[in-house]
Amino acid sequence: MTSLSTSLLSHASRRSTLPPRLPIHRSISVSLSPTQPKLAPTPQSPMAAIPQRQLFIGGEWRAPALGRRLPVVNPATEAPIGEIPAGTAEDVDAAVAAARAALKRNRGRDWARAPGAVRAKYLRAIAAKIKERKSDLSKLESLDCGKPLDESAWDMDDVAGCFEYYADLAESLDKRQNAPVSLPMENFKCYLRKEPIGVVGLITPWNYPLLMATWKVAPALAAGCTAVLKPSELASVTCLELADVCKEVGLPSGVLNVVTGLGPDAGAPLSSHPGVDKVAFTGSYETGKKIMAAAAPMVKPVSLELGGKSPIVVFDDVDVEKAVEWTLFGCFWTNGQICSATSRLILHKNIAKEFQERMVAWAKNIKVSDPLEEGCRLGPVVSEGQYEKIKKFVSTAKSEGATILTGGVRPKHLEKGFYIEPTIITDVDTSMQIWREEVFGPVLCVKEFSTEDEAIELANDTQYGLAGAVLSGDRERCQRLTEEIDAGIIWVNCSQPCFCQAPWGGNKRSGFGRELGEGGIDNYLSVKQVTEYASDEPWGWYQSPSKLIQALISQVGVVNMSTQAAGSSVSPPGYIQHQA
């Protein structure tokens, strides 16, 4: 467990995002346009009441074993606004035991082996409660992680939609059971069963706290698994509210357990726990490696959604205004804290000057404010540590010879909070840190190209492979780049759209496995092959001992008849025994 401590403390649960549905993009388009006036700043949000929760273990609120708690800091004001419980290995043990008991209760008939329709009922009830609490949950999310309130509200819609989607898949799982397999031998029948993998450990990030948890919780529960959720210590509030929702809808005790706390104290023991059958993690590449190492001694399966340094390739045949908006949206959405951020702009040199000028105009028009203010489009980053890290990236880029075209500093009208203006960096070389490493903040770097081959080479010049985008009016060119860019997700003439019906995941150092879509539930299922011998005839590979004896007796009878015919009525002593 100690081998995970440093990484999980500094990196646990850092990545991933569910970008908005397409109608949301249209609303963003209006608010970002340089022709629209920005709203005047309003006073900072007053301190909000964060619900005082305990750990959620075995269907009940339970104080952490060591009685510790962690402060919740509003990144918009830098002020403490509440506390969360700080779980430790003792609490993880209790949560895993509760999950195991729920999995095995009534020999699995209460949950793991119950019909999918039973589990679907609970998932739909959770979705309904999320919708009912949408307003409160949205505000808590924004206060906790700095996300603009409009984005948090859309996240809650997507949380409910994801639970509903996997409720449908839980029901359809019943129909997929005992699926026949065609065999070449008629005397055999074969079918497949899909069964829950068991108790799963879910470690989730701070940029989409409740939504990223839902990406794992919903399919895991739909599959019949039981779970221990460990959200990031930087943003756990709404995950504890999810526990409250589960309690309210009567989810069977122990099916979902929520243990908050620091990475070394709670995340590491969950990753290495012998009672956990699988770990699903969204976070940094370095932490992902540690989790794989922790799982290896038990040959425990893991699925990893890690970082990215995704390209957006813009050709010279685009509508510049539309392409500028998609380019900024792909990097600055969610305060730039997106694993799939298309933060490397690969721009055709023929339009570079005009494009960069328009990007600066649009970027300066983005409203940076307290996330609860109306019209906010860029809030604070999640913590002081992240704030300092981003500033260091910008200063290093400058020292290496890049040009800070705009941004990179605190907005003048915001004296408090972890705010950074949307930043665009040009004159970038491919050896620079800003080109190679993930910033996880509102920072876009720009590199020009002349030919399609050069653009492809630049797009693939990364150790990551989560996503990529190509913007061009030439559909055949877009298709070529879709095939050439080495990434798990490609966007054409857009950036960041994501739907729970489509799989999500990357290649190379961006991890492996896919969340969402129909395959999302398969992450939490194991396949059991059942083959039946369907013939009344014996198999016949070995000679039956009883048939052998019958054959010998028949031979003796023939010998006796021969002897009698020769005038002798008595067999030699021991003849039968000898022959046998």
Side-chain angles (χ1 to χ4, degrees):
M1 289 188 290
T2 56
S3 64
L4 288 177
S5 297
T6 300
S7 186
L8 281 171
L9 174 61
S10 58
H11 297 289
S13 311
R14 291 181 52 214
R15 312 280 195 253
S16 196
T17 178
L18 183 63
R21 300 170 301 284
L22 293 181
I24 295 173
H25 292 155
R26 290 197 289 271
S27 68
I28 290 287
S29 176
V30 174
S31 62
L32 280 180
S33 171
T35 62
Q36 297 291 321
K38 290 188 288 186
L39 297 176
T42 61
Q44 293 283 4
S45 306
M47 179 182 292
I50 299 296
Q52 186 81 353
R53 302 291 186 195
Q54 301 289 1
L55 305 175
F56 189 68
I57 298 175
E60 300 294 337
W61 298 111
R62 181 183 301 187
L66 301 184
R68 299 172 181 168
R69 298 186 71 82
L70 299 170
V72 175
V73 175
N74 181 351
T77 64
E78 304 180 38
I81 54 175
E83 294 177 335
I84 57 170
T88 56
E90 296 88 345
D91 303 303
V92 170
D93 286 342
V96 171
R100 181 66 60 186
L103 187 78
K104 298 297 184 182
R105 189 180 298 124
N106 195 18
R107 302 184 69 177
R109 296 185 185 93
D110 287 359
W111 187 257
R113 294 171 58 196
V118 171
R119 297 190 295 273
K121 178 187 71 173
Y122 289 104
L123 296 182
R124 290 197 180 100
I126 292 170
K129 284 295 177 184
I130 295 294
K131 291 178 182 178
E132 183 181 308
R133 297 189 183 188
K134 174 182 173 180
S135 178
D136 289 341
L137 290 171
S138 301
K139 290 176 183 176
L140 288 173
E141 197 79 294
S142 292
L143 288 165
D144 198 19
C145 72
K147 184 188 297 279
L149 183 60
D150 285 344
E151 295 185 26
S152 294
W154 294 325
D155 284 0
M156 297 311 132
D157 290 337
D158 289 334
V159 167
C162 193
F163 274 109
E164 290 171 339
Y165 176 72
Y166 281 105
D168 293 342
L169 288 186
E171 287 182 333
S172 66
L173 186 60
D174 292 339
K175 300 175 184 177
R176 293 165 58 192
Q177 291 292 23
N178 304 329
V181 177
S182 178
L183 300 176
M185 298 178 69
E186 294 182 356
N187 52 346
F188 288 96
K189 294 181 179 179
C190 181
Y191 63 90
L192 303 180
R193 289 190 53 78
K194 293 197 171 185
E195 300 179 344
I197 202 167
V199 174
V200 294
L202 311 176
I203 303 177
T204 56
W206 45 255
N207 57 338
Y208 281 75
L210 185 53
L211 187 54
M212 290 298 96
T214 299
W215 278 24
K216 292 174 171 54
V217 170
L221 268 54
C225 293
T226 56
V228 179
L229 170 64
K230 194 280 176 190
S232 168
E233 60 270 22
L234 295 179
S236 297
V237 171
T238 52
C239 289
L240 289 170
E241 294 311 291
L242 174 62
D244 192 57
V245 166
C246 291
K247 186 173 178 62
E248 187 174 350
V249 303
L251 187 72
S253 61
V255 168
L256 177 65
N257 307 272
V258 182
V259 178
T260 57
L262 297 174
D265 297 338
L270 179 61
S271 299
S272 60
H273 202 289
V276 172
D277 299 303
K278 174 181 177 164
V279 176
F281 171 71
T282 295
S284 74
Y285 162 73
E286 291 297 331
T287 304
K289 289 195 302 182
K290 296 289 198 297
I291 286 175
M292 288 184 69
M298 293 165 281
V299 199
K300 182 186 303 183
V302 298
S303 55
L304 304 173
E305 201 272 87
L306 307 178
K309 191 71 178 179
S310 301
I312 181 167
V313 183
V314 179
F315 285 88
D316 59 354
D317 59 350
V318 297
D319 179 309
V320 170
E321 292 295 292
K322 293 178 181 177
V324 164
E325 184 188 12
W326 279 117
T327 299
L328 299 188
F329 183 81
C331 188
F332 299 155
W333 170 252
T334 310
N335 305 337
Q337 298 169 135
I338 322 173
C339 63
S340 59
T342 42
S343 59
R344 290 186 301 132
L345 169 58
I346 301 169
L347 179 62
H348 198 287
K349 69 175 185 179
N350 288 350
I351 59 170
K353 185 176 185 298
E354 177 191 6
F355 202 92
Q356 290 174 18
E357 290 173 350
R358 296 308 296 153
M359 282 200 300
V360 170
W362 279 69
K364 287 182 178 297
N365 194 66
I366 294 173
K367 181 178 180 179
V368 184
S369 72
D370 185 288
L372 297 187
E373 283 188 19
E374 184 179 353
C376 175
R377 289 297 177 260
L378 191 74
V381 297
V382 73
S383 68
E384 183 178 11
Q386 189 67 12
Y387 175 70
E388 294 297 334
K389 175 187 171 187
I390 295 167
K391 289 200 301 180
K392 180 64 175 175
F393 266 106
V394 174
S395 65
T396 298
K398 188 174 181 179
S399 69
E400 290 180 342
T403 299
I404 312 304
L405 195 61
T406 187
V409 296
R410 170 185 293 277
K412 293 180 181 178
H413 65 284
L414 294 168
E415 297 180 357
K416 281 285 189 179
F418 308 125
Y419 293 96
I420 295 179
E421 288 184 353
T423 305
I424 301 172
I425 301 178
T426 58
D427 300 318
V428 172
D429 185 86
T430 57
S431 64
M432 292 180 180
Q433 181 195 48
I434 198 66
W435 176 265
R436 309 215 67 82
E437 296 185 22
E438 184 179 33
V439 177
F440 223 62
V443 180
L444 176 70
C445 63
V446 185
K447 180 75 175 169
E448 296 178 20
F449 74 94
S450 300
T451 67
E452 183 176 315
D453 286 345
E454 184 184 0
I456 293 168
E457 183 178 353
L458 287 169
N460 288 327
D461 183 30
T462 175
Q463 294 178 314
Y464 295 103
L466 182 55
V470 54
L471 276 58
S472 172
D474 185 335
R475 294 181 63 86
E476 292 183 359
R477 174 191 283 154
C478 291
Q479 181 61 37
R480 289 194 299 271
L481 266 76
T482 293
E483 297 172 2
E484 290 281 0
I485 296 175
D486 186 4
I489 302 155
I490 300 294
W491 296 298
V492 176
N493 290 323
C494 60
S495 181
Q496 304 307 320
C498 180
F499 303 89
C500 65
Q501 295 82 3
W504 181 276
N507 306 333
K508 299 189 284 188
R509 289 191 177 186
S510 291
F512 53 82
R514 294 295 185 266
E515 295 188 299
L516 302 182
E518 292 187 8
I521 195 171
D522 291 330
N523 275 335
Y524 301 97
L525 292 168
S526 62
V527 177
K528 177 183 286 184
Q529 177 221 118
V530 181
T531 300
E532 174 187 356
Y533 184 58
S535 172
D536 292 332
E537 295 298 320
W539 181 228
W541 182 256
Y542 301 107
Q543 188 171 4
S544 168
S546 59
K547 288 189 176 182
L548 178 61
I549 292 174
Q550 291 175 0
L552 291 175
I553 291 174
S554 297
Q555 291 178 19
V556 169
V558 170
V559 170
N560 285 341
M561 291 176 62
S562 300
T563 303
Q564 290 173 2
S568 173
S569 59
V570 180
S571 297
Y575 178 82
I576 293 179
Q577 291 86 341
H578 174 72
Q579 290 298 314

